[in-house]
């Protein structure tokens, strides 16, 4: 059968255009392939997975013989005594940990404390060590496990170093990578199947970085996002009766040996530490500020009511008799938050100063002669047991933060 001439003409034009498109595609193919990221090898995938898990070996240890306890420290809430204890611990930690510095959340908490220690004691060595590490890393964050909050924790140090630098020395590159990652985070839609910050520790890792980025840029979108996600996490994990946070939703129905709900010391420490850092940078007239003040007041009251006779808190804070040793990292964060609350007239000094004084005195009894700070629970998710000598960098960071606020308290 013969086809109409108009159909043959149209078919020819279509064929010619198809051949032309194919020729262009073949010409561009090598360039497109060259620009495609190479698939990750098994080794690279394994390395990325490892990077999502904190390196316990670099974080701390628990020797059988840590030596004698320190005998040269005073528990008085006086600035020379406070600074002496801070420097003793910071000097030991810096000597031991600086060769192992990394960008994980564990060290990020230490860096927060070291920067605060320099500001308090006037010794620049601690801040300089963090600044040197930041320069080595080109001011970049870990980005293998986005949007994991842990990997954003180092942004607190980067932004603090940037903000406290003389204006002439501030460089956009110091915050560029942190800002880029936060900007990407802001485009992430909520996942009904899994909260972004599904564990309470995350509230320390990412929210303060977002608030500080708002302070740097003047853009409230970072605070808006932080508030939205904070409220989601709080709705799931906060107990309005106990005024404490569960570590994550797998603990909502777990109980201690005494039948009380299971609340983890350090988990709640991360939260009150975050409350301080958020309030430090949140604008005075921000509409969300009362929410965070109330949360700090409620948690401080709950924690003060269950303080141990030695001034400290156990790793399972509602069942202290089940745990032999006090837990320093949580206790230090509580001291930090309460001292800050007193200093900012959020908490009543008459009620809370005896609490923080007792806590500080208790923590000093776990400092060894060489400066090791012991009785810190290693990396974990819930209450546990450990050796008296157990020390980890994040606990030291919390101790130095506590000292910095107590020093301010002692000056008034």
């Amino acid at each position: 059968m013969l086809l109409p001439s108009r159909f043959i003409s149209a078919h020819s034009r279509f064929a010619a255009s198809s051949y032309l498109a194919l020729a262009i595609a073949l010409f561009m193919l090598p360039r497109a392939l060259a620009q495609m990221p190479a698939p990750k090898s098994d080794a690279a995938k394994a390395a990325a997975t490892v990077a999502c898990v904190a390196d316990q070996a670099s974080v701390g240890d628990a020797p059988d013989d840590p030596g004698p306890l320190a005998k040269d420290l005073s528990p008085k809430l006086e600035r020379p005594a406070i600074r002496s204890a801070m420097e003793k611990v910071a000097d030991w930690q810096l000597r031991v940990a600086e060769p192992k510095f990394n960008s994980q959340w564990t060290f990020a908490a230490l860096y927060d404390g070291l920067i605060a220690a320099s500001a308090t004691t006037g010794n620049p060595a601690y801040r300089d060590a963090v600044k040197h590490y930041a320069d080595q890393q080109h001011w970049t964050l870990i980005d293998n496990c986005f949007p994991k909050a842990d990997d954003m924790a180092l942004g607190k140090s980067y932004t603090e170093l940037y903000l406290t630098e003389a204006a002439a020395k501030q460089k956009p590159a110091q915050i560029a990578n942190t800002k880029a990652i936060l900007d990407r985070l802001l485009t992430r839609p909520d996942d009904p199947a899994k909260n972004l910050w599904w564990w309470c520790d995350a509230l320390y890792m990412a929210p303060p970085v977002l608030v500080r980025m708002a302070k740097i840029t003047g853009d409230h979108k970072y605070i808006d996002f932080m508030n939205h996600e904070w409220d989601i996490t709080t709705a799931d994990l906060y107990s309005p009766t106990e005024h404490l946070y569960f570590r994550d939703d797998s603990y909502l129905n777990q109980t201690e040996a005494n039948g009380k709900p299971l609340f983890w010391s350090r988990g709640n420490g991360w939260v009150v530490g975050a409350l301080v850092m958020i309030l430090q940078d949140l604008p005075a007239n921000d509409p969300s500020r009362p929410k965070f003040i109330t949360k700090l007041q409620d948690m401080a009251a709950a924690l003060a009511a269950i303080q141990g006779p030695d001034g400290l808190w156990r790793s399972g804070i509602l069942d202290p008799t089940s745990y032999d040793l006090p837990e320093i990292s949580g206790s230090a964060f509580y001291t930090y938050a309460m001292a800050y609350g007193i200093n900012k007239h959020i908490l009543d000094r008459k009620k809370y100063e005896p609490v923080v004084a007792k806590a500080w005195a208790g923590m000093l009894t776990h400092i060894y002669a060489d400066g090791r700070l012991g009785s810190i629970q290693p990396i974990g998710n819930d209450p546990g047991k450990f050796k008296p000598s157990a020390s980890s960098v994040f606990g030291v960071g919390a101790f130095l933060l506590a000292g910095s606020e107590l020093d301010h308290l002692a000056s008034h």
Side-chain angles (χ1 to χ4, degrees):
M1 181 179 65
L2 296 176
L3 296 173
S5 59
R6 66 180 181 277
F7 181 86
I8 294 174
S9 176
H11 177 73
S12 298
R13 289 194 301 272
F14 174 78
S17 63
S18 298
Y19 293 146
L20 178 60
L22 179 60
I24 292 172
L26 289 173
F27 175 77
M28 296 295 294
L29 182 60
R31 181 179 299 178
L33 289 173
Q35 293 176 346
M36 289 178 63
K40 286 186 177 180
S41 65
D42 291 340
K45 290 177 181 177
T49 301
V50 170
C52 293
V53 180
D55 175 18
Q56 175 67 70
S58 67
V59 170
D61 60 6
D64 292 331
D65 182 13
L69 289 167
K71 297 184 183 297
D72 57 347
L73 299 174
S74 168
K76 293 181 179 179
L77 287 190
E78 298 174 354
R79 301 183 91 175
I82 293 167
R83 293 179 183 189
S84 176
M86 290 178 68
E87 289 189 293
K88 188 178 187 70
V89 172
D91 287 346
W92 172 82
Q93 187 66 88
L94 192 61
R95 183 171 66 253
V96 170
E98 188 171 14
K100 306 172 186 176
F101 274 9
N102 63 50
S103 300
Q104 295 177 335
W105 63 267
T106 49
F107 276 83
L110 172 63
Y111 304 150
D112 296 338
L114 289 174
I115 294 172
S118 277
T120 298
T121 66
N123 184 342
Y126 315 126
R127 175 193 168 94
D128 289 349
V130 181
K131 173 72 160 50
H132 179 65
Y133 178 75
D135 288 335
Q136 285 184 321
Q137 299 304 307
H138 306 291
W139 301 79
T140 59
L141 304 178
I142 297 174
D143 195 18
N144 290 324
C145 312
F146 183 86
K148 191 175 182 182
D150 288 350
D151 296 346
M152 301 173 195
L154 181 55
K156 295 194 301 300
S157 294
Y158 287 166
T159 50
E160 178 69 8
L161 289 169
Y162 175 84
L163 282 170
T164 55
E165 196 82 88
K169 294 184 178 181
Q170 288 180 340
K171 300 175 182 177
Q174 293 172 320
I175 58 167
N177 177 258
T178 300
K179 183 178 182 299
I181 288 176
L182 294 182
D183 287 343
R184 179 153 48 109
L185 181 67
L186 264 58
T187 66
R188 176 191 179 274
D190 289 337
D191 180 357
K194 192 75 169 181
N195 291 344
L196 174 63
W197 300 329
W198 54 266
W199 72 114
C200 71
D201 317 28
L203 298 180
Y204 180 88
M205 308 302 166
V209 190
L210 286 157
V211 177
R212 195 165 290 159
M213 190 56 67
K215 182 177 182 178
I216 292 171
T217 63
D219 196 330
H220 203 272
K221 67 181 181 182
Y222 300 102
I223 293 174
D224 293 337
F225 182 87
M226 181 278 297
N227 270 308
H228 175 71
E229 296 297 340
W230 180 286
D231 290 347
I232 290 174
T233 300
T234 295
D236 279 3
L237 302 184
Y238 182 69
S239 167
T241 54
E242 302 293 348
H243 298 293
L244 298 168
Y245 279 76
F246 292 97
R247 195 271 175 176
D248 60 60
D249 62 12
S250 69
Y251 294 92
L252 294 176
N253 298 311
Q254 293 194 39
T255 57
E256 294 277 13
N258 64 359
K260 292 185 178 180
L262 192 156
F263 289 104
W264 183 37
S265 170
R266 187 162 61 245
N268 282 278
W270 290 128
V271 178
V272 296
L275 289 169
V276 172
M277 293 181 174
I278 288 170
L279 288 169
Q280 284 174 334
D281 290 318
L282 203 62
N285 61 349
D286 195 274
S288 66
R289 191 173 181 84
K291 171 180 70 179
F292 294 106
I293 290 175
T294 300
K295 191 68 69 188
L296 178 56
Q297 291 170 330
D298 289 346
M299 293 187 72
L303 292 164
I306 55 174
Q307 184 179 28
D310 58 358
L312 305 173
W313 291 260
R314 266 47 185 177
S315 60
I317 49 182
L318 294 189
D319 188 12
T321 59
S322 290
Y323 305 92
D324 298 333
L325 295 172
E327 204 290 301
I328 297 298
S329 64
S331 297
F333 273 127
Y334 303 158
T335 307
Y336 170 53
M338 291 183 200
Y340 170 83
I342 297 168
N343 288 330
K344 296 300 180 182
H345 309 291
I346 293 170
L347 300 177
D348 178 58
R349 181 167 189 155
K350 184 177 180 180
K351 176 180 178 179
Y352 286 97
E353 186 169 1
V355 177
V356 298
K358 191 175 181 180
W360 184 250
M363 287 190 284
L364 296 193
T365 66
H366 295 276
I367 299 174
Y368 290 83
D370 63 355
R372 168 187 290 271
L373 178 62
S375 206
I376 299 171
Q377 184 185 0
I379 293 173
N381 301 328
D382 49 26
K385 298 186 178 182
F386 42 87
K387 293 180 182 179
S389 65
S391 189
S392 292
V393 292
F394 43 76
V396 171
F399 175 83
L400 297 175
L401 288 169
S404 69
E405 282 298 328
L406 288 172
D407 182 84
H408 182 57
L409 179 65
S411 71
H412 292 77

